[in-house]
Amino acid sequence: MKLLGTQTSPYVRKARLVLLEKNIPHTYIIDPPTEPGSQVARVNPLGRIPALIIDSETCVFDSTVIAEYIDTLNDTPILIPRNNALERMRVRRWESLADGVMDAAVAVRMESMRPADKQDANIISLNNSAITRALAYAAGQLGTGEWCEGSAITLADLALVSALIYLDLRQTERDWRGAHPNLATWFTHMSARPSVRTALAG
């Protein structure tokens, strides 16, 4: 099993964290789709990462699909609840919230990379406002909890930590820790996990 991606993509990091938490043997290959010779477009018709190559004929793409597939491979731990529809919805809602933060931060990043006279300030403002609201919502939902949902780690935690790592990378000016101390405490706890340390190391 091979995971194609880059070190900066928050979606790749989420997929990789799922693989690491589940202890699924895999090879992580840094393969930017924009680089000449990249195999991403050959295995994923969308030409996007992450792309999980299962065998010579099967590639799974989109981080949400990868996460769901990987979670079915074993039960240690179960990251997406399987028997309770409400619990499952709540975990997937956390994932959607975190993915939305990633989407908005990527949009800000892409717009900011355009020449200054061609940037759309409204796009940057709208997406930054969405991130601010999403973080406030996440902090409110988390409260003083150790985990986003329930009494053990779930996909919710892996998605949220991936989003926050990306904000640290691309929005260094955003003081989300100062705004939400409980998120900062939770992030420190998550950052100590071997999976997160491995994903951050390369």
Side-chain angles (χ1 to χ4, degrees):
M1 191 176 293
K2 300 177 183 178
L3 179 69
L4 308 183
T6 65
Q7 287 297 91
T8 56
S9 167
Y11 312 100
V12 170
R13 183 169 288 110
K14 181 179 72 171
R16 192 168 180 219
L17 285 174
V18 173
L19 287 161
L20 291 167
E21 283 289 338
K22 303 282 286 187
N23 289 309
I24 302 294
H26 67 283
T27 302
Y28 174 50
I29 301 173
I30 297 177
D31 188 6
T34 56
E35 292 294 318
S38 171
Q39 63 177 313
V40 173
R42 294 197 298 273
V43 298
N44 178 359
L46 297 173
R48 298 175 185 170
I49 51 175
L52 181 69
I53 301 173
I54 299 176
D55 54 41
S56 60
E57 298 180 352
T58 309
C59 178
V60 186
F61 39 87
D62 185 271
S63 65
T64 58
V65 181
I66 291 172
E68 185 161 19
Y69 169 72
I70 292 298
D71 194 45
T72 66
L73 299 184
N74 66 42
D75 295 340
T76 53
I78 294 175
L79 297 174
I80 305 172
R82 297 176 187 167
N83 300 318
N84 186 303
L86 183 60
E87 291 177 358
R88 180 181 180 85
M89 177 280 292
R90 291 179 67 87
V91 167
R92 298 311 293 266
R93 185 175 63 176
W94 272 103
E95 182 188 20
S96 292
L97 184 75
D99 282 1
V101 170
M102 299 178 202
D103 293 344
V106 168
V108 170
R109 165 75 174 169
M110 297 304 293
E111 192 65 27
S112 300
M113 291 176 66
R114 291 161 55 85
D117 61 334
K118 297 185 183 302
Q119 291 180 18
D120 188 330
N122 192 48
I123 289 176
I124 294 174
S125 177
L126 285 173
N127 282 286
N128 273 330
S129 294
I131 295 170
T132 298
R133 291 193 304 271
L135 293 180
Y137 182 86
Q141 291 292 303
L142 179 65
T144 59
E146 182 179 4
W147 308 106
C148 290
E149 283 295 328
S151 58
I153 193 168
T154 66
L155 179 59
D157 301 287
L158 301 182
L160 183 59
V161 78
S162 298
L164 293 176
I165 289 169
Y166 189 72
L167 290 181
D168 280 348
L169 175 66
R170 297 303 192 201
Q171 295 198 357
T172 55
E173 73 284 357
R174 182 183 288 274
D175 184 20
W176 62 264
R177 290 174 177 81
H180 307 294
N182 65 323
L183 280 185
T185 299
W186 173 88
F187 184 82
T188 299
H189 158 71
M190 283 294 296
S191 297
R193 294 187 70 82
S195 64
V196 179
R197 293 202 306 267
T198 298
L200 283 171

